[in-house]
Amino acid sequence: MVANMFAIAAWRDPEDYADLLLLSDRHGLHRLALVQHHLSSRIEGDRRLLLGSRFCHGLAPTHYGDLAEDLATTCARVGMRFMLAGAHEVEPGPDIETPEEFLRHYLDDGLPEWRAQIARYAEDPWSPYARRLNELAEQAGLPGLDITIGRFMAEMREHTESRDREMVAREIRRLVTESGLSQRDFATRLGTSPSRMSSYCTGQVTPSAALLLRIRRLARAVTQPRPD
């Protein structure tokens, strides 16, 4: 994996991207990105050797535009997963306000600074700042990078929505457990089918706000003793 990182960072031959595709198929995108993250973190003790940054440059769309579609898609996905790895461990970075400042960050900064920017808009991937980064990339004259940022934004939005769905499912499971009812009995009292109730508990389906209120009211009604 580290040899492949060095190859893409230094030479960017088509064979190197093909090897990246093989590595992702063999180990999975998530595991590959984590290993690459830890490898580059250990190697980059010297700020003059920004392996991770050069690797990301090599995965930018401007460098693999002529590759086959499956290779290009894999490069984009590996690049995103690699950048996201460890992003939750850094403090959100300051605002980037001008195209010149954006260009300086892109050319001169390393992964910690880049991940700080990811953490900055990961807090709210629907924020105006996230859209502003996209505009600055285009104004900075970095063709294709605005597409990459757009993909990051989509990835972060999908991650946030998935996390929110899991939080709702966890809340429903807690309410069912605290009610003392079986999931089937809870579904009957709620007026829905056991299979539908199961989909709410697993997060496969997210109930509407109105139905979530009904679930909370039912759990409260079951657990609270009736007045004499």
Side-chain angles (χ1 to χ4, degrees):
M1 292 183 186
V2 70
N4 182 248
M5 289 186 71
F6 270 113
I8 290 178
W11 297 293
R12 300 169 187 169
D13 290 332
E15 293 81 4
D16 301 325
Y17 295 105
D19 289 341
L20 183 66
L21 177 61
L22 292 175
L23 285 170
S24 67
D25 288 342
R26 182 178 302 166
H27 302 288
L29 280 174
H30 182 68
R31 184 182 178 194
L32 176 61
L34 285 178
V35 172
Q36 290 168 332
H37 166 63
H38 290 299
L39 285 173
S40 64
S41 297
R42 290 180 178 274
I43 293 172
E44 289 185 354
D46 187 342
R47 289 283 298 177
R48 294 170 296 178
L49 183 62
L50 298 178
L51 172 62
S53 306
R54 295 178 185 275
F55 176 64
C56 288
H57 283 163
L59 294 179
T62 50
H63 296 298
Y64 58 77
D66 295 331
L67 297 181
E69 184 177 353
D70 58 342
L71 279 175
T73 300
T74 296
C75 288
R77 294 177 66 193
V78 169
M80 282 193 292
R81 294 295 179 89
F82 177 58
M83 287 292 295
L84 291 171
H88 64 283
E89 300 171 2
V90 300
E91 289 293 324
D95 287 0
I96 298 176
E97 299 179 350
T98 66
E100 294 76 19
E101 189 178 359
F102 187 99
L103 186 62
R104 179 180 59 78
H105 274 280
Y106 177 73
L107 295 176
D108 299 334
D109 284 343
L111 283 177
E113 291 83 5
W114 292 9
R115 287 187 171 120
Q117 284 300 313
I118 292 175
R120 173 73 173 76
Y121 67 74
E123 293 180 320
D124 183 4
W126 291 271
S127 70
Y129 181 68
R131 294 192 296 272
R132 177 61 177 155
L133 281 181
N134 219 339
E135 296 171 358
L136 289 174
E138 186 175 359
Q139 294 170 10
L142 297 169
L145 190 59
D146 57 326
I147 299 175
T148 301
I149 292 177
R151 288 170 176 163
F152 269 118
M153 291 167 59
E155 181 92 2
M156 294 309 302
R157 288 169 182 168
E158 181 179 346
H159 173 76
T160 302
E161 289 172 347
S162 176
R163 181 190 61 192
D164 291 347
R165 286 193 297 270
E166 174 54 31
M167 290 177 65
V168 171
R170 191 182 306 128
E171 169 73 1
I172 293 172
R173 292 194 298 269
R174 181 186 67 81
L175 291 169
V176 172
T177 299
E178 291 182 357
S179 73
L181 299 174
S182 68
Q183 190 171 297
R184 176 178 292 273
D185 289 341
F186 197 97
T188 300
R189 294 280 295 268
L190 187 65
T192 191
S193 66
S195 61
R196 190 68 172 177
M197 191 68 214
S198 176
S199 69
Y200 296 149
C201 290
T202 60
Q204 182 180 0
V205 176
T206 301
S208 65
L211 183 54
L212 184 57
L213 287 175
R214 283 175 52 197
I215 292 173
R216 287 172 175 167
R217 282 198 297 266
L218 173 59
R220 186 166 56 248
V222 172
T223 56
Q224 290 179 350
R226 294 183 178 182
D228 295 334

mmCIF file of all heavy atoms in Angstrom, residues 117-156:
data_model
loop_
_atom_site.group_PDB
_atom_site.id
_atom_site.type_symbol
_atom_site.label_atom_id
_atom_site.label_comp_id
_atom_site.label_asym_id
_atom_site.label_seq_id
_atom_site.Cartn_x
_atom_site.Cartn_y
_atom_site.Cartn_z
ATOM 1 N N GLN A 117 -10.192 21.545 7.281
ATOM 2 C CA GLN A 117 -11.238 22.138 6.454
ATOM 3 C C GLN A 117 -12.411 21.180 6.272
ATOM 4 O O GLN A 117 -13.571 21.587 6.285
ATOM 5 C CB GLN A 117 -10.671 22.551 5.093
ATOM 6 C CG GLN A 117 -9.850 23.814 5.121
ATOM 7 C CD GLN A 117 -10.639 25.011 5.610
ATOM 8 O OE1 GLN A 117 -11.764 25.257 5.176
ATOM 9 N NE2 GLN A 117 -10.065 25.760 6.543
ATOM 10 N N ILE A 118 -12.101 19.891 6.130
ATOM 11 C CA ILE A 118 -13.174 18.900 6.042
ATOM 12 C C ILE A 118 -13.999 18.901 7.324
ATOM 13 O O ILE A 118 -15.231 18.877 7.299
ATOM 14 C CB ILE A 118 -12.586 17.498 5.783
ATOM 15 C CG1 ILE A 118 -11.975 17.442 4.382
ATOM 16 C CG2 ILE A 118 -13.652 16.421 5.941
ATOM 17 C CD1 ILE A 118 -11.277 16.142 4.081
ATOM 18 N N ALA A 119 -13.297 18.950 8.476
ATOM 19 C CA ALA A 119 -14.001 19.006 9.757
ATOM 20 C C ALA A 119 -14.835 20.271 9.854
ATOM 21 O O ALA A 119 -15.907 20.275 10.472
ATOM 22 C CB ALA A 119 -13.000 18.943 10.912
ATOM 23 N N ARG A 120 -14.356 21.340 9.211
ATOM 24 C CA ARG A 120 -15.070 22.630 9.241
ATOM 25 C C ARG A 120 -16.440 22.515 8.594
ATOM 26 O O ARG A 120 -17.426 22.994 9.139
ATOM 27 C CB ARG A 120 -14.219 23.681 8.521
ATOM 28 C CG ARG A 120 -14.879 25.030 8.325
ATOM 29 C CD ARG A 120 -14.975 25.802 9.624
ATOM 30 N NE ARG A 120 -15.450 27.143 9.399
ATOM 31 C CZ ARG A 120 -16.705 27.495 9.150
ATOM 32 N NH1 ARG A 120 -17.633 26.548 9.107
ATOM 33 N NH2 ARG A 120 -17.043 28.741 8.958
ATOM 34 N N TYR A 121 -16.503 21.880 7.428
ATOM 35 C CA TYR A 121 -17.831 21.792 6.813
ATOM 36 C C TYR A 121 -18.535 20.475 7.100
ATOM 37 O O TYR A 121 -19.711 20.313 6.782
ATOM 38 C CB TYR A 121 -17.778 22.072 5.306
ATOM 39 C CG TYR A 121 -17.072 21.101 4.416
ATOM 40 C CD1 TYR A 121 -17.635 19.862 4.106
ATOM 41 C CD2 TYR A 121 -15.852 21.414 3.835
ATOM 42 C CE1 TYR A 121 -16.995 18.981 3.257
ATOM 43 C CE2 TYR A 121 -15.212 20.531 2.995
ATOM 44 C CZ TYR A 121 -15.781 19.329 2.704
ATOM 45 O OH TYR A 121 -15.157 18.449 1.870
ATOM 46 N N ALA A 122 -17.830 19.526 7.755
ATOM 47 C CA ALA A 122 -18.510 18.316 8.199
ATOM 48 C C ALA A 122 -19.485 18.623 9.332
ATOM 49 O O ALA A 122 -20.449 17.889 9.540
ATOM 50 C CB ALA A 122 -17.501 17.274 8.658
ATOM 51 N N GLU A 123 -19.220 19.707 10.072
ATOM 52 C CA GLU A 123 -20.145 20.115 11.131
ATOM 53 C C GLU A 123 -21.533 20.395 10.577
ATOM 54 O O GLU A 123 -22.540 20.127 11.217
ATOM 55 C CB GLU A 123 -19.613 21.363 11.840
ATOM 56 C CG GLU A 123 -18.349 21.151 12.633
ATOM 57 C CD GLU A 123 -17.876 22.430 13.296
ATOM 58 O OE1 GLU A 123 -17.946 23.509 12.674
ATOM 59 O OE2 GLU A 123 -17.454 22.341 14.461
ATOM 60 N N ASP A 124 -21.581 20.968 9.366
ATOM 61 C CA ASP A 124 -22.859 21.265 8.722
ATOM 62 C C ASP A 124 -22.642 21.256 7.220
ATOM 63 O O ASP A 124 -22.345 22.282 6.616
ATOM 64 C CB ASP A 124 -23.396 22.629 9.177
ATOM 65 C CG ASP A 124 -24.758 22.931 8.567
ATOM 66 O OD1 ASP A 124 -25.303 22.052 7.867
ATOM 67 O OD2 ASP A 124 -25.271 24.039 8.793
ATOM 68 N N PRO A 125 -22.774 20.069 6.580
ATOM 69 C CA PRO A 125 -22.501 19.980 5.148
ATOM 70 C C PRO A 125 -23.498 20.715 4.270
ATOM 71 O O PRO A 125 -23.313 20.779 3.060
ATOM 72 C CB PRO A 125 -22.524 18.466 4.879
ATOM 73 C CG PRO A 125 -23.218 17.857 6.026
ATOM 74 C CD PRO A 125 -23.066 18.765 7.195
ATOM 75 N N TRP A 126 -24.547 21.275 4.862
ATOM 76 C CA TRP A 126 -25.509 22.067 4.090
ATOM 77 C C TRP A 126 -25.269 23.570 4.262
ATOM 78 O O TRP A 126 -26.038 24.385 3.772
ATOM 79 C CB TRP A 126 -26.939 21.739 4.519
ATOM 80 C CG TRP A 126 -27.380 20.367 4.129
ATOM 81 C CD1 TRP A 126 -27.974 20.000 2.955
ATOM 82 C CD2 TRP A 126 -27.266 19.174 4.905
ATOM 83 N NE1 TRP A 126 -28.236 18.646 2.950
ATOM 84 C CE2 TRP A 126 -27.818 18.116 4.134
ATOM 85 C CE3 TRP A 126 -26.766 18.877 6.172
ATOM 86 C CZ2 TRP A 126 -27.868 16.800 4.595
ATOM 87 C CZ3 TRP A 126 -26.824 17.577 6.615
ATOM 88 C CH2 TRP A 126 -27.363 16.553 5.837
ATOM 89 N N SER A 127 -24.194 23.928 4.959
ATOM 90 C CA SER A 127 -23.950 25.331 5.280
ATOM 91 C C SER A 127 -23.496 26.119 4.048
ATOM 92 O O SER A 127 -22.959 25.556 3.092
ATOM 93 C CB SER A 127 -22.882 25.454 6.371
ATOM 94 O OG SER A 127 -21.620 25.090 5.841
ATOM 95 N N PRO A 128 -23.677 27.448 4.060
ATOM 96 C CA PRO A 128 -23.177 28.281 2.960
ATOM 97 C C PRO A 128 -21.665 28.166 2.785
ATOM 98 O O PRO A 128 -21.167 28.298 1.666
ATOM 99 C CB PRO A 128 -23.582 29.702 3.385
ATOM 100 C CG PRO A 128 -24.730 29.518 4.317
ATOM 101 C CD PRO A 128 -24.456 28.228 5.030
ATOM 102 N N TYR A 129 -20.930 27.916 3.880
ATOM 103 C CA TYR A 129 -19.472 27.821 3.764
ATOM 104 C C TYR A 129 -19.067 26.628 2.903
ATOM 105 O O TYR A 129 -18.107 26.709 2.127
ATOM 106 C CB TYR A 129 -18.832 27.700 5.140
ATOM 107 C CG TYR A 129 -17.316 27.626 5.092
ATOM 108 C CD1 TYR A 129 -16.564 28.734 4.700
ATOM 109 C CD2 TYR A 129 -16.641 26.454 5.405
ATOM 110 C CE1 TYR A 129 -15.177 28.668 4.637
ATOM 111 C CE2 TYR A 129 -15.257 26.381 5.343
ATOM 112 C CZ TYR A 129 -14.532 27.494 4.953
ATOM 113 O OH TYR A 129 -13.160 27.428 4.876
ATOM 114 N N ALA A 130 -19.767 25.524 3.041
ATOM 115 C CA ALA A 130 -19.461 24.354 2.227
ATOM 116 C C ALA A 130 -19.625 24.682 0.747
ATOM 117 O O ALA A 130 -18.788 24.318 -0.085
ATOM 118 C CB ALA A 130 -20.363 23.186 2.613
ATOM 119 N N ARG A 131 -20.695 25.382 0.409
ATOM 120 C CA ARG A 131 -20.895 25.781 -0.988
ATOM 121 C C ARG A 131 -19.858 26.810 -1.420
ATOM 122 O O ARG A 131 -19.411 26.814 -2.568
ATOM 123 C CB ARG A 131 -22.298 26.334 -1.168
ATOM 124 C CG ARG A 131 -23.406 25.303 -0.959
ATOM 125 C CD ARG A 131 -24.743 25.825 -1.419
ATOM 126 N NE ARG A 131 -25.173 26.975 -0.636
ATOM 127 C CZ ARG A 131 -25.875 26.884 0.504
ATOM 128 N NH1 ARG A 131 -26.192 25.688 0.972
ATOM 129 N NH2 ARG A 131 -26.247 27.963 1.155
ATOM 130 N N ARG A 132 -19.440 27.662 -0.484
ATOM 131 C CA ARG A 132 -18.454 28.692 -0.804
ATOM 132 C C ARG A 132 -17.106 28.062 -1.171
ATOM 133 O O ARG A 132 -16.411 28.551 -2.077
ATOM 134 C CB ARG A 132 -18.292 29.635 0.400
ATOM 135 C CG ARG A 132 -17.240 30.721 0.233
ATOM 136 C CD ARG A 132 -17.543 31.646 -0.911
ATOM 137 N NE ARG A 132 -16.569 32.725 -1.029
ATOM 138 C CZ ARG A 132 -16.313 33.363 -2.152
ATOM 139 N NH1 ARG A 132 -16.973 33.043 -3.260
ATOM 140 N NH2 ARG A 132 -15.412 34.320 -2.191
ATOM 141 N N LEU A 133 -16.702 26.986 -0.499
ATOM 142 C CA LEU A 133 -15.460 26.301 -0.837
ATOM 143 C C LEU A 133 -15.481 25.824 -2.285
ATOM 144 O O LEU A 133 -14.473 25.893 -2.988
ATOM 145 C CB LEU A 133 -15.233 25.119 0.096
ATOM 146 C CG LEU A 133 -14.685 25.408 1.488
ATOM 147 C CD1 LEU A 133 -14.509 24.108 2.247
ATOM 148 C CD2 LEU A 133 -13.362 26.148 1.416
ATOM 149 N N ASN A 134 -16.624 25.339 -2.705
ATOM 150 C CA ASN A 134 -16.767 24.893 -4.079
ATOM 151 C C ASN A 134 -16.519 26.038 -5.055
ATOM 152 O O ASN A 134 -15.815 25.884 -6.062
ATOM 153 C CB ASN A 134 -18.175 24.327 -4.283
ATOM 154 C CG ASN A 134 -18.179 23.108 -5.175
ATOM 155 O OD1 ASN A 134 -17.254 22.895 -5.932
ATOM 156 N ND2 ASN A 134 -19.219 22.314 -5.096
ATOM 157 N N GLU A 135 -17.070 27.205 -4.757
ATOM 158 C CA GLU A 135 -16.898 28.375 -5.615
ATOM 159 C C GLU A 135 -15.444 28.834 -5.632
ATOM 160 O O GLU A 135 -14.903 29.203 -6.685
ATOM 161 C CB GLU A 135 -17.801 29.510 -5.128
ATOM 162 C CG GLU A 135 -19.286 29.200 -5.213
ATOM 163 C CD GLU A 135 -20.133 30.254 -4.528
ATOM 164 O OE1 GLU A 135 -19.545 31.215 -3.961
ATOM 165 O OE2 GLU A 135 -21.372 30.135 -4.543
ATOM 166 N N LEU A 136 -14.781 28.812 -4.472
ATOM 167 C CA LEU A 136 -13.387 29.256 -4.393
ATOM 168 C C LEU A 136 -12.469 28.349 -5.197
ATOM 169 O O LEU A 136 -11.514 28.815 -5.817
ATOM 170 C CB LEU A 136 -12.936 29.301 -2.928
ATOM 171 C CG LEU A 136 -13.544 30.410 -2.074
ATOM 172 C CD1 LEU A 136 -13.121 30.242 -0.613
ATOM 173 C CD2 LEU A 136 -13.127 31.787 -2.583
ATOM 174 N N ALA A 137 -12.753 27.026 -5.181
ATOM 175 C CA ALA A 137 -11.939 26.098 -5.970
ATOM 176 C C ALA A 137 -12.024 26.436 -7.448
ATOM 177 O O ALA A 137 -11.019 26.425 -8.170
ATOM 178 C CB ALA A 137 -12.397 24.667 -5.723
ATOM 179 N N GLU A 138 -13.221 26.760 -7.911
ATOM 180 C CA GLU A 138 -13.397 27.116 -9.324
ATOM 181 C C GLU A 138 -12.704 28.431 -9.643
ATOM 182 O O GLU A 138 -12.025 28.570 -10.659
ATOM 183 C CB GLU A 138 -14.888 27.201 -9.638
ATOM 184 C CG GLU A 138 -15.196 27.414 -11.105
ATOM 185 C CD GLU A 138 -16.685 27.367 -11.391
ATOM 186 O OE1 GLU A 138 -17.462 27.142 -10.443
ATOM 187 O OE2 GLU A 138 -17.068 27.549 -12.556
ATOM 188 N N GLN A 139 -12.837 29.414 -8.740
ATOM 189 C CA GLN A 139 -12.215 30.723 -8.966
ATOM 190 C C GLN A 139 -10.693 30.653 -8.888
ATOM 191 O O GLN A 139 -10.002 31.458 -9.505
ATOM 192 C CB GLN A 139 -12.741 31.725 -7.932
ATOM 193 C CG GLN A 139 -14.219 32.033 -8.066
ATOM 194 C CD GLN A 139 -14.765 32.821 -6.896
ATOM 195 O OE1 GLN A 139 -14.011 33.314 -6.057
ATOM 196 N NE2 GLN A 139 -16.082 32.934 -6.807
ATOM 197 N N ALA A 140 -10.161 29.675 -8.150
ATOM 198 C CA ALA A 140 -8.712 29.541 -8.006
ATOM 199 C C ALA A 140 -8.060 28.926 -9.241
ATOM 200 O O ALA A 140 -6.839 28.821 -9.312
ATOM 201 C CB ALA A 140 -8.373 28.708 -6.778
ATOM 202 N N GLY A 141 -8.878 28.531 -10.217
ATOM 203 C CA GLY A 141 -8.325 27.968 -11.442
ATOM 204 C C GLY A 141 -7.824 26.558 -11.284
ATOM 205 O O GLY A 141 -6.824 26.177 -11.893
ATOM 206 N N LEU A 142 -8.501 25.766 -10.456
ATOM 207 C CA LEU A 142 -8.125 24.371 -10.238
ATOM 208 C C LEU A 142 -9.208 23.485 -10.841
ATOM 209 O O LEU A 142 -10.134 23.065 -10.153
ATOM 210 C CB LEU A 142 -7.963 24.081 -8.739
ATOM 211 C CG LEU A 142 -6.851 24.863 -8.043
ATOM 212 C CD1 LEU A 142 -6.949 24.712 -6.541
ATOM 213 C CD2 LEU A 142 -5.478 24.409 -8.543
ATOM 214 N N PRO A 143 -9.127 23.228 -12.148
ATOM 215 C CA PRO A 143 -10.186 22.465 -12.809
ATOM 216 C C PRO A 143 -10.340 21.068 -12.224
ATOM 217 O O PRO A 143 -9.365 20.369 -11.985
ATOM 218 C CB PRO A 143 -9.710 22.387 -14.269
ATOM 219 C CG PRO A 143 -8.231 22.604 -14.200
ATOM 220 C CD PRO A 143 -8.008 23.533 -13.046
ATOM 221 N N GLY A 144 -11.570 20.702 -11.983
ATOM 222 C CA GLY A 144 -11.852 19.382 -11.438
ATOM 223 C C GLY A 144 -11.913 19.348 -9.930
ATOM 224 O O GLY A 144 -12.574 18.483 -9.358
ATOM 225 N N LEU A 145 -11.227 20.275 -9.254
ATOM 226 C CA LEU A 145 -11.222 20.242 -7.802
ATOM 227 C C LEU A 145 -12.594 20.613 -7.241
ATOM 228 O O LEU A 145 -12.995 20.107 -6.196
ATOM 229 C CB LEU A 145 -10.152 21.180 -7.240
ATOM 230 C CG LEU A 145 -9.890 21.046 -5.737
ATOM 231 C CD1 LEU A 145 -9.462 19.636 -5.395
ATOM 232 C CD2 LEU A 145 -8.835 22.046 -5.278
ATOM 233 N N ASP A 146 -13.304 21.503 -7.935
ATOM 234 C CA ASP A 146 -14.646 21.841 -7.480
ATOM 235 C C ASP A 146 -15.557 20.606 -7.524
ATOM 236 O O ASP A 146 -16.434 20.436 -6.672
ATOM 237 C CB ASP A 146 -15.236 22.978 -8.314
ATOM 238 C CG ASP A 146 -15.267 22.651 -9.802
ATOM 239 O OD1 ASP A 146 -14.353 21.954 -10.266
ATOM 240 O OD2 ASP A 146 -16.202 23.090 -10.482
ATOM 241 N N ILE A 147 -15.303 19.719 -8.517
ATOM 242 C CA ILE A 147 -16.070 18.467 -8.585
ATOM 243 C C ILE A 147 -15.742 17.587 -7.385
ATOM 244 O O ILE A 147 -16.623 16.989 -6.760
ATOM 245 C CB ILE A 147 -15.760 17.724 -9.896
ATOM 246 C CG1 ILE A 147 -16.167 18.586 -11.100
ATOM 247 C CG2 ILE A 147 -16.463 16.369 -9.937
ATOM 248 C CD1 ILE A 147 -15.789 17.981 -12.421
ATOM 249 N N THR A 148 -14.448 17.520 -7.043
ATOM 250 C CA THR A 148 -14.020 16.717 -5.892
ATOM 251 C C THR A 148 -14.655 17.226 -4.607
ATOM 252 O O THR A 148 -15.139 16.446 -3.782
ATOM 253 C CB THR A 148 -12.491 16.736 -5.763
ATOM 254 O OG1 THR A 148 -11.909 16.226 -6.968
ATOM 255 C CG2 THR A 148 -12.028 15.894 -4.591
ATOM 256 N N ILE A 149 -14.664 18.546 -4.430
ATOM 257 C CA ILE A 149 -15.268 19.124 -3.227
ATOM 258 C C ILE A 149 -16.759 18.825 -3.197
ATOM 259 O O ILE A 149 -17.335 18.517 -2.147
ATOM 260 C CB ILE A 149 -15.000 20.635 -3.170
ATOM 261 C CG1 ILE A 149 -13.506 20.888 -2.940
ATOM 262 C CG2 ILE A 149 -15.826 21.298 -2.067
ATOM 263 C CD1 ILE A 149 -13.129 22.340 -2.947
ATOM 264 N N GLY A 150 -17.393 18.908 -4.369
ATOM 265 C CA GLY A 150 -18.813 18.565 -4.431
ATOM 266 C C GLY A 150 -19.067 17.135 -4.000
ATOM 267 O O GLY A 150 -20.057 16.840 -3.313
ATOM 268 N N ARG A 151 -18.152 16.223 -4.382
ATOM 269 C CA ARG A 151 -18.276 14.828 -3.963
ATOM 270 C C ARG A 151 -18.087 14.688 -2.454
ATOM 271 O O ARG A 151 -18.768 13.897 -1.801
ATOM 272 C CB ARG A 151 -17.265 13.968 -4.713
ATOM 273 C CG ARG A 151 -17.593 13.758 -6.186
ATOM 274 C CD ARG A 151 -16.451 13.106 -6.918
ATOM 275 N NE ARG A 151 -16.780 12.814 -8.304
ATOM 276 C CZ ARG A 151 -15.880 12.554 -9.242
ATOM 277 N NH1 ARG A 151 -14.595 12.546 -8.940
ATOM 278 N NH2 ARG A 151 -16.251 12.292 -10.476
ATOM 279 N N PHE A 152 -17.127 15.443 -1.916
ATOM 280 C CA PHE A 152 -16.939 15.433 -0.463
ATOM 281 C C PHE A 152 -18.216 15.878 0.247
ATOM 282 O O PHE A 152 -18.644 15.279 1.233
ATOM 283 C CB PHE A 152 -15.796 16.375 -0.075
ATOM 284 C CG PHE A 152 -14.458 15.707 -0.013
ATOM 285 C CD1 PHE A 152 -13.444 16.104 -0.862
ATOM 286 C CD2 PHE A 152 -14.198 14.691 0.880
ATOM 287 C CE1 PHE A 152 -12.203 15.498 -0.828
ATOM 288 C CE2 PHE A 152 -12.963 14.073 0.932
ATOM 289 C CZ PHE A 152 -11.966 14.486 0.073
ATOM 290 N N MET A 153 -18.812 16.953 -0.252
ATOM 291 C CA MET A 153 -20.027 17.471 0.360
ATOM 292 C C MET A 153 -21.141 16.433 0.311
ATOM 293 O O MET A 153 -21.860 16.223 1.298
ATOM 294 C CB MET A 153 -20.449 18.759 -0.347
ATOM 295 C CG MET A 153 -19.507 19.927 -0.093
ATOM 296 S SD MET A 153 -19.787 21.313 -1.222
ATOM 297 C CE MET A 153 -21.501 21.713 -0.870
ATOM 298 N N ALA A 154 -21.283 15.753 -0.828
ATOM 299 C CA ALA A 154 -22.310 14.717 -0.950
ATOM 300 C C ALA A 154 -22.042 13.569 0.006
ATOM 301 O O ALA A 154 -22.963 13.026 0.640
ATOM 302 C CB ALA A 154 -22.365 14.218 -2.390
ATOM 303 N N GLU A 155 -20.751 13.191 0.131
ATOM 304 C CA GLU A 155 -20.369 12.106 1.045
ATOM 305 C C GLU A 155 -20.683 12.479 2.488
ATOM 306 O O GLU A 155 -21.212 11.664 3.260
ATOM 307 C CB GLU A 155 -18.876 11.805 0.889
ATOM 308 C CG GLU A 155 -18.359 10.685 1.757
ATOM 309 C CD GLU A 155 -18.406 9.332 1.070
ATOM 310 O OE1 GLU A 155 -18.816 9.272 -0.102
ATOM 311 O OE2 GLU A 155 -18.041 8.343 1.726
ATOM 312 N N MET A 156 -20.361 13.718 2.872
ATOM 313 C CA MET A 156 -20.613 14.154 4.236
ATOM 314 C C MET A 156 -22.102 14.264 4.519
ATOM 315 O O MET A 156 -22.566 13.952 5.616
ATOM 316 C CB MET A 156 -19.929 15.501 4.495
ATOM 317 C CG MET A 156 -18.409 15.451 4.460
ATOM 318 S SD MET A 156 -17.688 14.148 5.507
ATOM 319 C CE MET A 156 -18.344 14.586 7.113
#
